Amino acid sequence: MAAGLVVLCCSRLLRDCSRVSKYAPPVWAAFRTTEERRQWYSVSNLTIQERIEQKSQRAMLGGGQHRIDAQHKRGKLTARERVQLLLDPDSFVEYDKFVEHRCSDFGMGTEDNKFPGDSVVTGQGRINGRLVYVFSQDFTVFGGSLSGAHAQKVCKIMDQALLVGAPVIGLNDSGGARIQEGIESLAGYADIFLRNVLSSGVIPQISLIMGPCAGGAVYSPALTDFTFMVKDTSFLFITGPDVVKSVTNEDVTQEDLGGAKTHTAISGVAHKAFENDVDALLNLREFLNFIPLNNKDPTPIRECQDPCDRLVPSLDTVVPLESTKAYDMLEIVTAIADERDFFELMPNYAKNIIIGFARMNGCTVGIVGNQPKVASGCLDINASVKGARFVRFCDAFNIPIITFVDVPGFLPGTSQEYGGIIKHGAKLLYAFAEATAPKITVITRKAYGGAYDVMSSKHLRGDLNYAWPTAEVAVMGAKGAVQIIFKGKGNEVEAEAEYVETFANPFPAAVRGFVDDIIEPATTRMRICRDLEMLANKKQTNPWKKHGNIPL
Amino acid sequence: HASFRSRCSFAVSRVLYSTVYDPNEPTFDKILIANRGEIACRIIKTCKKMGIKTVAIHSDVDSSAVHVKMADEASCVGPAPTNKSYLNLDAIMETIQKTGAQAVHPGYGFLSENKEFARRLTAEGVTFIGPDTHAIQAMGDKIESKLIAKKAQVSTIPGYDGVVKDAVEAVKIANEIGYPVMIKASAGGGGKGMRIAWNDDETREGFRFSSQEASSSFGDDRLLIEKFIDNPRHIEIQILGDKHGNALWLNERECSIQRRNQKVVEEAPSTFLDPETRRAMGEQAVTLAKAVSYSSAGTVEFLVDSKKNFYFLEMNTRLQVEHPVTECITGLDLVQEMIRVAKGYPLGHKQADIPINGWAIECRVYAEDPYKSFGLPSIGRLSQYKEPLHVPNVRIDSGIEEGSDISIYYDPMISKVRVTHNIPLLREVIIHPRFVKGDITTNFLPEVYPDGFKGRILSDGEHEELLATAGSIYVASLVKAQRFLEKSTRIPAAKQDQKSWELSVQLDDGVHSVTVSRSGSSYSVEVDGKTLNVTSEWNLASPLLPVTIDDTHRIVQCLSRDAAGNMKIQYLGTVVSCCSTLKCFR
């Protein structure tokens, strides 16, 4: 389908382009010297108005028709088509269409090497009526490479986005630095990085990688809140396969080194991958509907037709009778969310934890849940980091966090200890503890040991902590506990039964007030909706600090 | 036993049970239901109505099943495999003793035709709600039942009454009866050990295969041969007998729509029978029942050929899955009748009191994929389940609810992740012109769908309706995506008053141009030059979406929908994938 769409979309554009104007000089590339160009203009007698129009139209064509065709051949849309598709109809307001690069070395100064707007399209527009700033790198102009002018354009919209409090969306499709400009290009990257950092936690920043993004350029997406990729056409790496070969003698393809699959499943650099440009941009529109425009903006609330007091009887039976049997936490999440709509992030990375956005009675919430289906839902290095970063985003933008707990503990083993599970696990703990956004926790089954503390427990200022009747809050599972208590003496079977009787239920936590209530699973949605309403005016601040020191 | 079995009966008659029973008539205090699923629930409902306490039995995986929740008491009788739980005689007998149940209703399947169970109950002084052991035994064996039927002058299929010794004898008998013949296992059922032969060679081969299959499946390789009735209908007579020698026939059920010898759609009365044939069949059924002193509800199955000749097939000595259609047209509560009869009361009706009030059709909704051999089992959790009880005259007997597990233990075959259901097939069958006309035989499904069921083939008009609906849902979702309620999205949305959308909607057959113009909840949709008006509340949160297309009311289901415009819509029973997108992105 999407391929069809691309064609459709392009043919539209082609029609527009074929109107390229009567003012156009016969052959653009025909100018050899500045002299020739002056001569042409002087004879053409163009007015300013005509020249504006001419430049504008040339800007629309980017690097020229044959490059546009090449871009399409790769299954990619052009920078402008992407912006059109991403934003509401007629809402795009372009900035800096007339900016040109300032390099004159290596023959770059000639007219045919200058393109109005250079290698990026920037501006602002609306997504479902809400303001966003966008830059879209144009691969058809010098491979989308970053010149000083390119960086300046990007910085301009980033600055304004920060001023007015609106998200910045970057559509990355760039071969890297503009080598001809040398250090100017490096300075440009740094200017962008600085703005990425200063904007972090103030306005949402989203990167969608739609082509190559290599070298220093990768750090801008890495600094943004969310990085999405397009399958097969996008790549992110510090150095390409050739350099890898010469340095480490490894043979690796672009796709294996830094393709969508690599980054969504192995490295965890990207949050989600989409089938193609169209799919990615439409999903990005959907995604943006979940997030606030800035850190002072209230959480978005969409009109909701799903009753907030809807009971979900299927939840009463979702947790299996045997506590070792797995079930799908996603089933719980989709069952309680408005319209079963859950925008899952990083679905293929650290699958033992689920993160993503949903709505409850129209209001956006961040969902964190242990996934018993994968590695029993235990916390390991990757799961902790995945969860922590998401929790911090939610907190930064005051999005309520709903946590579903079924965790048997942290994953033991040398690989985890050597990898630093201690400091990485601490990240999740830190994130939940410092969060002042509304926090609601539901313990569906196991909440064992330190992992219980970590998972948004009452002790970490959980606002409402619930336990289902199937909950077991304990230091550890019965078997392990009995082995430690009795050290092989006494009747272990009996002791195990006693331990289960005493601890493998919600009461030890409930009698101490560590959970606020033991609830019927079917009522979970109803209660969360009610609690969110109550927590809407929650105000909580942490002690003054320059910034905390999260264990990185 | 497929574990997910809900029945949906559409009764044209208004009243469910028109028969009035004496509420003061003494009856049992407590009944144990030795079954699970919908039939257990069905029996418990009548028990509740009669003020009888109920005991449910269940396996460990069924501990939160609906029948367990409905019953007054419940007891686990073992682990999931049926031979360790629902067929576990010792555990069930123990539960009976422990709970003090005075009677046991076996439902269908499991222990319903188990002589040993009936015998042990009698030994303990517990009433078995069903016929006595003698009748179960007599009718349980195909050869013996046929002999009894013949003796009672019930019309039987021409064939050889004894056990066939070898292939040579088989050929001789086959020639006497005349081809085609059916070779089948005496102890058989469910199509196992059955072969049709059209000539001597096939008879020899069939004999060999059938005896092998019969001995491996039933441990009993006795075979019998009878005439094969080509293109028959399967019509059965519901009978009801008491312990005082009375027996009634409660009209017929047409059960010809079958797949692999399992019934799919049943109706009562049959469109095929005239009153004379009906009476003749009914009377023969009653004669047979009386011949074995039958006391309970039972079913006498007949094959009926195109000339309305009918032949006795077998007798089922139990309540059957499809009993509700008979209840719908006669107004009787068969479970209540069974309980009364078991308590020793004479029947309260005369043959003349048994009416045919209206028409009833039952569809068996199974968790199975209808696109594979008309239905292969599927398992999983039911994430959403809603019964169409808001539709008048619909009765639903089910034993599941949202969140129920469709487990592998009570389903014989493969496992799959998502639960599929056979509703698309059922819907197509009951609106098929041949079904509507009553022109059906047991070969209906393979004849109508020779290459297997492929879902509904849409007419041009329906195709347009589908496109209009898909386009409208997409526009509704676009409109919805802009409805923010929070106060401070500071810049008022610029383009929210858009009134018209040009879409491309892709179906299997290609991309279609669809233009949607919206005024309120009413959408005017232009599809391939034709304009349709689509109105709905557009509540996209509900899985059911009632729409009115021009003047036609339809209920479509939007099963899934994503940001890229991909949708799965269930329209006229069949699931269609489509993709809607704005035609131009500006």
Side-chain angles (χ1 to χ4, degrees), chain A residues 479-529:
Chain A
K479 212 171 204 135
V482 166
Q483 270 167 13
I484 292 170
I485 298 171
F486 292 97
K487 297 210 171 80
K489 288 169 231 150
N491 185 346
E492 293 201 4
V493 178
E494 210 170 273
E496 208 177 303
E498 191 191 337
Y499 188 91
V500 167
E501 182 69 25
T502 318
F503 293 117
N505 59 61
F507 295 113
V511 295
R512 288 167 178 82
F514 296 167
V515 294
D516 299 301
D517 202 356
I518 303 171
I519 61 169
E520 285 298 312
T523 64
T524 307
R525 173 178 162 83
M526 190 187 81
R527 283 167 187 273
I528 293 176
C529 288

Coordinates of all heavy atoms in Angstrom, one line a residue, chain A residues 479-529:
Chain A
K479 N 10.7 -20.9 47.7 CA 11.7 -21.9 47.7 C 13.1 -21.3 48.2 O 13.7 -21.9 49.1 CB 11.9 -22.4 46.3 CG 12.4 -23.9 46.3 CD 12.3 -24.4 44.9 CE 12.2 -25.9 44.9 NZ 11.2 -26.5 44.0
G480 N 13.4 -20.2 47.7 CA 14.7 -19.6 48.1 C 14.7 -19.2 49.5 O 15.6 -19.4 50.3
A481 N 13.6 -18.6 49.9 CA 13.4 -18.1 51.3 C 13.6 -19.3 52.3 O 14.3 -19.2 53.3 CB 12.1 -17.4 51.5
V482 N 12.9 -20.4 52.0 CA 13.0 -21.5 52.9 C 14.4 -22.1 53.0 O 14.9 -22.4 54.1 CB 12.0 -22.6 52.5 CG1 12.2 -23.9 53.2 CG2 10.6 -22.1 52.7
Q483 N 15.1 -22.1 51.9 CA 16.5 -22.6 51.9 C 17.4 -21.7 52.8 O 18.2 -22.3 53.5 CB 17.0 -22.6 50.5 CG 16.8 -23.9 49.8 CD 17.0 -23.8 48.3 OE1 17.6 -22.9 47.8 NE2 16.6 -24.8 47.5
I484 N 17.1 -20.5 52.8 CA 17.9 -19.6 53.6 C 17.5 -19.7 55.1 O 18.4 -19.8 56.0 CB 17.8 -18.1 53.1 CG1 18.4 -18.0 51.8 CG2 18.5 -17.2 54.1 CD1 18.2 -16.7 51.1
I485 N 16.2 -19.7 55.3 CA 15.7 -19.7 56.7 C 16.2 -21.0 57.4 O 16.7 -21.0 58.5 CB 14.2 -19.6 56.8 CG1 13.8 -18.2 56.2 CG2 13.7 -19.7 58.2 CD1 12.3 -18.1 56.0
F486 N 16.1 -22.2 56.7 CA 16.3 -23.5 57.4 C 17.7 -24.1 57.0 O 18.1 -25.0 57.6 CB 15.2 -24.4 57.0 CG 13.9 -24.0 57.6 CD1 12.9 -23.3 56.9 CD2 13.6 -24.3 59.0 CE1 11.7 -22.9 57.5 CE2 12.4 -23.9 59.5 CZ 11.5 -23.2 58.8
K487 N 18.3 -23.5 56.0 CA 19.6 -24.0 55.6 C 19.7 -25.5 55.5 O 20.6 -26.2 56.0 CB 20.7 -23.5 56.6 CG 20.8 -22.0 56.6 CD 22.3 -21.6 56.9 CE 22.5 -20.2 56.7 NZ 22.0 -19.3 57.8
G488 N 18.6 -26.1 55.0 CA 18.6 -27.6 54.8 C 18.1 -28.4 56.0 O 18.0 -29.6 56.0
K489 N 17.9 -27.7 57.1 CA 17.4 -28.4 58.3 C 15.8 -28.2 58.3 O 15.3 -27.3 57.8 CB 17.9 -27.8 59.6 CG 19.4 -28.2 59.8 CD 20.0 -27.4 60.9 CE 21.3 -26.7 60.5 NZ 21.5 -25.4 61.2
G490 N 15.2 -29.2 58.9 CA 13.8 -29.1 59.1 C 13.0 -29.5 57.9 O 13.6 -29.9 56.8
N491 N 11.7 -29.6 58.0 CA 10.9 -30.0 56.9 C 10.7 -28.9 55.9 O 9.9 -28.0 56.1 CB 9.6 -30.5 57.4 CG 8.7 -31.1 56.4 OD1 9.0 -31.0 55.2 ND2 7.7 -31.9 56.8
E492 N 11.4 -29.0 54.8 CA 11.3 -27.9 53.8 C 10.0 -27.7 53.1 O 9.5 -26.6 52.8 CB 12.4 -28.0 52.8 CG 13.8 -27.8 53.4 CD 14.9 -27.4 52.4 OE1 14.5 -27.2 51.3 OE2 16.0 -27.4 52.8
V493 N 9.4 -28.9 52.8 CA 8.1 -28.8 52.1 C 7.1 -28.1 53.0 O 6.3 -27.2 52.5 CB 7.6 -30.3 51.8 CG1 6.2 -30.2 51.1 CG2 8.6 -31.0 51.0
E494 N 7.1 -28.5 54.3 CA 6.1 -27.8 55.2 C 6.4 -26.3 55.3 O 5.5 -25.5 55.3 CB 6.2 -28.5 56.5 CG 5.0 -28.5 57.3 CD 5.1 -29.4 58.6 OE1 4.9 -30.7 58.4 OE2 5.5 -28.9 59.6
A495 N 7.7 -26.1 55.5 CA 8.1 -24.7 55.6 C 7.8 -23.8 54.4 O 7.3 -22.7 54.5 CB 9.6 -24.6 55.9
E496 N 7.9 -24.5 53.3 CA 7.6 -23.8 52.0 C 6.1 -23.4 52.0 O 5.7 -22.3 51.7 CB 8.0 -24.6 50.8 CG 8.4 -23.8 49.6 CD 8.8 -24.7 48.5 OE1 9.8 -25.5 48.7 OE2 8.2 -24.7 47.4
A497 N 5.3 -24.4 52.4 CA 3.9 -24.2 52.4 C 3.5 -23.1 53.4 O 2.7 -22.2 53.1 CB 3.2 -25.5 52.8
E498 N 4.2 -23.1 54.5 CA 4.0 -22.0 55.5 C 4.4 -20.6 55.0 O 3.7 -19.7 55.2 CB 4.8 -22.3 56.8 CG 4.4 -21.5 58.0 CD 5.3 -21.6 59.1 OE1 6.0 -22.6 59.2 OE2 5.4 -20.7 59.9
Y499 N 5.5 -20.6 54.3 CA 6.0 -19.4 53.7 C 5.0 -18.8 52.7 O 4.6 -17.6 52.7 CB 7.3 -19.6 53.0 CG 8.0 -18.3 52.6 CD1 8.9 -17.6 53.5 CD2 7.8 -17.7 51.3 CE1 9.5 -16.4 53.1 CE2 8.3 -16.6 50.9 CZ 9.2 -15.9 51.8 OH 9.8 -14.7 51.4
V500 N 4.5 -19.7 51.8 CA 3.5 -19.4 50.8 C 2.3 -18.8 51.5 O 1.7 -17.7 51.1 CB 3.2 -20.6 49.9 CG1 1.9 -20.2 49.1 CG2 4.3 -20.9 49.0
E501 N 1.8 -19.5 52.5 CA 0.6 -19.1 53.3 C 0.8 -17.7 53.9 O -0.1 -16.9 53.9 CB 0.4 -20.2 54.3 CG -0.9 -20.0 55.2 CD -2.1 -20.2 54.4 OE1 -2.1 -20.9 53.4 OE2 -3.2 -19.6 54.8
T502 N 2.0 -17.5 54.4 CA 2.3 -16.3 55.1 C 2.5 -15.1 54.2 O 2.0 -14.0 54.4 CB 3.5 -16.4 56.1 OG1 3.4 -17.7 56.7 CG2 3.5 -15.3 57.1
F503 N 3.4 -15.3 53.2 CA 3.8 -14.2 52.4 C 3.3 -14.1 51.0 O 3.3 -13.0 50.4 CB 5.4 -14.2 52.4 CG 6.0 -13.9 53.7 CD1 6.8 -14.9 54.3 CD2 5.7 -12.7 54.4 CE1 7.3 -14.6 55.6 CE2 6.3 -12.5 55.6 CZ 7.1 -13.5 56.2
A504 N 3.0 -15.3 50.4 CA 2.6 -15.2 49.0 C 1.2 -14.7 48.8 O 0.3 -15.4 48.2 CB 2.8 -16.6 48.3
N505 N 0.9 -13.6 49.3 CA -0.5 -13.0 49.2 C -0.3 -11.5 49.4 O 0.7 -11.0 49.8 CB -1.4 -13.7 50.1 CG -1.0 -13.5 51.6 OD1 -0.9 -12.4 52.0 ND2 -0.7 -14.6 52.2
P506 N -1.4 -10.8 49.1 CA -1.3 -9.3 49.2 C -1.3 -8.8 50.7 O -1.0 -7.6 50.9 CB -2.5 -8.8 48.5 CG -3.3 -9.9 48.2 CD -2.7 -11.2 48.6
F507 N -1.6 -9.6 51.7 CA -1.8 -9.1 53.0 C -0.6 -8.5 53.7 O -0.8 -7.4 54.3 CB -2.5 -10.2 53.9 CG -3.9 -10.5 53.3 CD1 -4.1 -11.8 52.8 CD2 -4.9 -9.5 53.3 CE1 -5.4 -12.1 52.3 CE2 -6.1 -9.9 52.8 CZ -6.4 -11.1 52.3
P508 N 0.6 -9.2 53.7 CA 1.7 -8.5 54.4 C 1.9 -7.1 54.0 O 2.2 -6.2 54.8 CB 2.9 -9.4 54.0 CG 2.3 -10.7 53.6 CD 0.9 -10.4 53.0
A509 N 1.7 -6.8 52.7 CA 1.9 -5.4 52.2 C 0.7 -4.6 52.6 O 0.9 -3.4 53.0 CB 2.1 -5.4 50.7
A510 N -0.5 -5.2 52.5 CA -1.7 -4.4 52.8 C -1.8 -4.0 54.2 O -2.2 -2.9 54.6 CB -2.9 -5.2 52.3
V511 N -1.4 -4.9 55.2 CA -1.6 -4.6 56.6 C -0.6 -3.5 57.0 O -0.8 -2.8 58.0 CB -1.4 -5.8 57.5 CG1 -2.5 -6.8 57.3 CG2 -0.1 -6.4 57.3
R512 N 0.5 -3.4 56.3 CA 1.5 -2.3 56.6 C 1.2 -1.0 55.9 O 1.9 -0.1 56.0 CB 2.9 -2.8 56.3 CG 3.3 -3.9 57.2 CD 4.6 -4.6 56.7 NE 5.1 -5.6 57.6 CZ 4.6 -6.8 57.8 NH1 3.5 -7.2 57.0 NH2 5.0 -7.7 58.6
G513 N 0.2 -1.0 55.0 CA -0.1 0.2 54.3 C 0.8 0.4 53.1 O 0.9 1.5 52.5
F514 N 1.6 -0.7 52.7 CA 2.5 -0.5 51.6 C 1.7 -0.6 50.3 O 2.2 -0.2 49.2 CB 3.5 -1.6 51.6 CG 4.5 -1.5 52.8 CD1 5.3 -2.6 53.1 CD2 4.5 -0.4 53.6 CE1 6.2 -2.5 54.1 CE2 5.3 -0.3 54.6 CZ 6.2 -1.4 54.9
V515 N 0.5 -1.2 50.3 CA -0.4 -1.0 49.2 C -1.7 -0.3 49.8 O -2.0 -0.6 50.9 CB -0.8 -2.3 48.4 CG1 0.4 -2.8 47.7 CG2 -1.4 -3.3 49.4
D516 N -2.3 0.5 49.0 CA -3.4 1.3 49.6 C -4.7 0.4 49.6 O -5.6 0.7 50.4 CB -3.7 2.5 48.7 CG -2.5 3.4 48.8 OD1 -2.1 3.9 49.9 OD2 -1.9 3.7 47.7
D517 N -4.8 -0.5 48.7 CA -6.0 -1.3 48.7 C -5.7 -2.6 47.9 O -4.8 -2.7 47.0 CB -7.2 -0.6 48.0 CG -8.5 -1.1 48.4 OD1 -8.6 -2.1 49.1 OD2 -9.5 -0.5 48.0
I518 N -6.5 -3.6 48.2 CA -6.5 -4.8 47.4 C -7.8 -4.7 46.5 O -8.9 -4.6 47.0 CB -6.5 -6.1 48.2 CG1 -5.4 -6.1 49.2 CG2 -6.5 -7.4 47.4 CD1 -5.5 -7.2 50.3
I519 N -7.6 -4.7 45.2 CA -8.7 -4.4 44.3 C -9.1 -5.6 43.4 O -8.2 -6.4 43.1 CB -8.4 -3.2 43.4 CG1 -7.2 -3.4 42.5 CG2 -8.2 -2.0 44.3 CD1 -7.1 -2.3 41.5
E520 N -10.3 -5.6 43.0 CA -10.8 -6.6 42.0 C -10.2 -6.2 40.7 O -10.3 -5.0 40.3 CB -12.3 -6.5 41.9 CG -13.1 -7.2 43.0 CD -12.7 -8.7 43.1 OE1 -12.8 -9.3 42.0 OE2 -12.4 -9.2 44.2
P521 N -9.5 -7.1 40.0 CA -8.8 -6.7 38.7 C -9.8 -6.0 37.8 O -9.4 -5.0 37.1 CB -8.3 -8.0 38.2 CG -8.1 -8.8 39.4 CD -9.1 -8.4 40.4
A522 N -11.0 -6.5 37.7 CA -12.0 -5.9 36.8 C -12.2 -4.4 37.0 O -12.6 -3.7 36.0 CB -13.3 -6.6 36.8
T523 N -11.9 -3.9 38.2 CA -12.2 -2.5 38.5 C -11.0 -1.6 38.2 O -11.0 -0.4 38.5 CB -12.6 -2.3 39.9 OG1 -11.5 -2.7 40.8 CG2 -13.8 -3.2 40.3
T524 N -9.9 -2.2 37.7 CA -8.6 -1.5 37.6 C -8.8 -0.2 36.8 O -8.4 0.9 37.2 CB -7.5 -2.4 37.0 OG1 -7.5 -3.6 37.8 CG2 -6.2 -1.7 37.1
R525 N -9.4 -0.3 35.6 CA -9.6 0.8 34.7 C -10.3 1.9 35.4 O -9.9 3.1 35.4 CB -10.2 0.5 33.4 CG -10.6 1.7 32.6 CD -11.2 1.3 31.3 NE -11.9 2.4 30.7 CZ -11.3 3.4 29.9 NH1 -10.0 3.3 29.7 NH2 -11.9 4.4 29.4
M526 N -11.4 1.5 36.0 CA -12.3 2.5 36.7 C -11.5 3.3 37.7 O -11.6 4.5 37.8 CB -13.5 1.7 37.3 CG -14.6 2.5 37.8 SD -15.7 1.4 38.7 CE -14.9 1.3 40.3
R527 N -10.8 2.5 38.6 CA -10.0 3.2 39.6 C -8.9 4.1 39.1 O -8.8 5.2 39.6 CB -9.4 2.1 40.5 CG -10.4 1.5 41.4 CD -9.8 0.2 42.1 NE -10.8 -0.5 42.8 CZ -11.1 -0.3 44.1 NH1 -10.4 0.7 44.7 NH2 -12.0 -1.0 44.7
I528 N -8.2 3.6 38.1 CA -7.1 4.5 37.6 C -7.7 5.8 37.0 O -7.2 6.9 37.3 CB -6.3 3.7 36.6 CG1 -5.5 2.6 37.2 CG2 -5.3 4.7 35.9 CD1 -4.7 1.7 36.3
C529 N -8.8 5.7 36.3 CA -9.4 6.9 35.7 C -9.8 7.9 36.9 O -9.6 9.1 36.8 CB -10.6 6.5 34.9 SG -10.2 5.8 33.3

